[in-house]
Amino acid sequence: VWDESQWLRNFRMRKGTFLELCELLSPALKHQDIRMRASLTIQKRVAIALWKLATPDSYSSVANQFGLGKSTVGVAVMQVAHAIVDLLLSKVVTLGDVQVIIDGFSAMRFPNCGGAIDGTPILGPEHQGSQYINRKGYFSMVLQALVDHKGRFTNINVGWPGKVHDAHVFKNSGLFRRLQEGIYFPDRKISVGDVEMPIVILGDPAYPLMPWLMKPYTGALDIEKELFNYRLSKCRMVVECAFGRLKGRWRSLFTRSDLSQTNIPIVIAACCVLHTLCETKGETFMAGCEVEANRLAADYA
């Protein structure tokens, strides 16, 4: 009985996208019916999971909302999160058409760019070890993400303790190895003066300067270097805004997680898949609160 605005407000997606998501997840979820009450359909389990991820509500609060037990809600959330990661992660969080991405960044005045990369902390439970205490003093896990020109995730790495530096996470990721081996992007070079420039990604000063990774100049800058930094920063903001929309849409990422250390990366990865699915489908839930979400994301950056 809800209209589309109510669907967006409560589940962060319209009814059509919700039903499509349920259909995509049904191969994994239908085999788990025996573990749930007969009345708990695939659609209800997906609804429970989306509600929990979209709000800072506790499991008890969500259980009351749906008239279920707290443990039932916990099982449903993790079933759906696992199904999303198992069935959709490799299909949704993927590079896609590289030329479209390059053209998108070129429109922002940075040539031959295949993405922007950054890391962001996701709150974790306080019972974790001291290595999860980040530089701001709270428990977290690191989410590293590469995004396209529209802020859709094309590669993610999640699970490193919050104390670990972004550059260390990056250098120990599969993305770094594939970029270093020259197998992540197609071999498409352009000439910049007398230099052959491969497809590059953009990072902040924390990242290492590589032939395929550009970061800002530091120190005393002339006009050309300032212009380079301006254009790079403008394109790199795409990933900052993506984190803002991710956490604004799935607000459970803003709250202290009550999940186990093993389950937190699964839920974060599921939120990344849902973010990219919603962005691809044009679900504009964030239109009214993107500024606030980005401010909150910056507080945690």
Side-chain angles (χ1 to χ4, degrees):
V1 298
W2 285 346
D3 60 27
E4 295 290 31
S5 65
Q6 290 171 310
W7 275 91
L8 283 168
R9 184 167 63 252
N10 291 297
F11 293 125
R12 308 314 198 228
M13 60 184 67
R14 291 167 290 187
K15 184 177 181 180
T17 304
F18 173 85
L19 294 176
E20 182 180 340
L21 176 63
C22 292
E23 184 65 25
L24 291 170
L25 299 180
S26 63
L29 295 178
K30 68 183 179 183
H31 296 304
Q32 298 172 334
D33 288 341
I34 193 170
R35 298 175 59 189
M36 308 298 291
R37 283 193 267 174
S39 61
L40 213 56
T41 63
I42 290 174
Q43 291 183 5
K44 191 164 186 178
R45 272 179 277 169
V46 174
I48 289 167
L50 294 183
W51 192 288
K52 180 65 176 77
L53 297 176
T55 68
D57 294 355
S58 66
Y59 279 96
S60 297
S61 176
V62 177
N64 292 334
Q65 183 74 30
F66 284 87
L68 299 168
K70 179 180 175 181
S71 61
T72 302
V73 169
V75 171
V77 169
M78 289 314 303
Q79 281 187 351
V80 173
H82 276 287
I84 289 171
V85 172
D86 292 344
L87 296 179
L88 301 182
L89 179 60
S90 61
K91 297 178 181 178
V92 175
V93 181
T94 186
L95 192 56
D97 191 328
V98 178
Q99 191 57 53
V100 171
I101 298 173
I102 290 173
D103 292 343
F105 281 110
S106 292
M108 290 186 274
R109 307 296 299 278
F110 205 102
N112 223 30
C113 176
I117 190 169
D118 202 2
T120 188
I122 305 294
L123 284 174
E126 293 189 0
H127 59 74
Q128 291 178 342
S130 61
Q131 71 270 26
Y132 286 89
I133 301 177
N134 63 29
R135 60 186 174 85
K136 292 203 171 182
Y138 61 85
F139 289 78
S140 67
M141 281 188 177
V142 177
L143 166 62
Q144 173 191 280
L146 181 71
V147 305
D148 67 11
H149 59 295
K150 291 189 174 181
R152 296 172 296 199
F153 297 122
T154 58
N155 184 279
I156 62 170
N157 185 300
V158 61
W160 281 84
K163 184 176 285 187
V164 179
H165 193 275
D166 284 351
H168 184 80
V169 175
F170 179 52
K171 287 183 177 180
N172 286 274
S173 67
L175 175 63
F176 181 90
R177 290 190 294 272
R178 281 177 281 168
L179 287 165
Q180 186 77 317
E181 293 169 6
I183 59 175
Y184 188 74
F185 290 119
D187 185 18
R188 300 181 188 176
K189 295 184 175 67
I190 62 171
S191 295
V192 180
D194 57 353
V195 176
E196 289 290 304
M197 175 184 172
I199 299 174
V200 299
I201 63 174
L202 309 179
D204 65 20
Y207 287 90
L209 179 65
M210 307 292 289
W212 39 261
L213 193 156
M214 297 290 101
K215 66 178 192 176
Y217 286 104
T218 57
L221 306 180
D222 57 25
I223 294 177
E224 288 185 354
K225 290 180 179 178
E226 286 184 351
L227 178 59
F228 174 90
N229 281 3
Y230 169 76
R231 291 183 178 176
L232 186 149
S233 296
K234 181 180 178 181
C235 292
R236 203 188 61 77
M237 279 303 295
V238 174
V239 67
E240 300 283 0
C241 292
F243 286 145
R245 294 198 299 277
L246 170 74
K247 294 179 180 180
R249 182 179 273 126
W250 308 113
R251 295 194 69 83
S252 62
L253 300 179
F254 269 133
T255 59
R256 179 75 60 195
S257 174
D258 49 5
L259 295 167
S260 69
Q261 183 176 326
T262 303
N263 285 337
I264 292 174
I266 299 295
V267 169
I268 296 172
C271 288
C272 291
V273 173
L274 292 170
H275 163 87
T276 300
L277 180 66
C278 289
E279 296 279 308
T280 301
K281 293 290 184 179
E283 308 290 16
T284 55
F285 166 78
M286 288 304 301
C289 53
E290 184 172 351
V291 172
E292 175 65 10
N294 287 336
R295 183 191 66 77
L296 290 169
D299 289 342
Y300 286 116

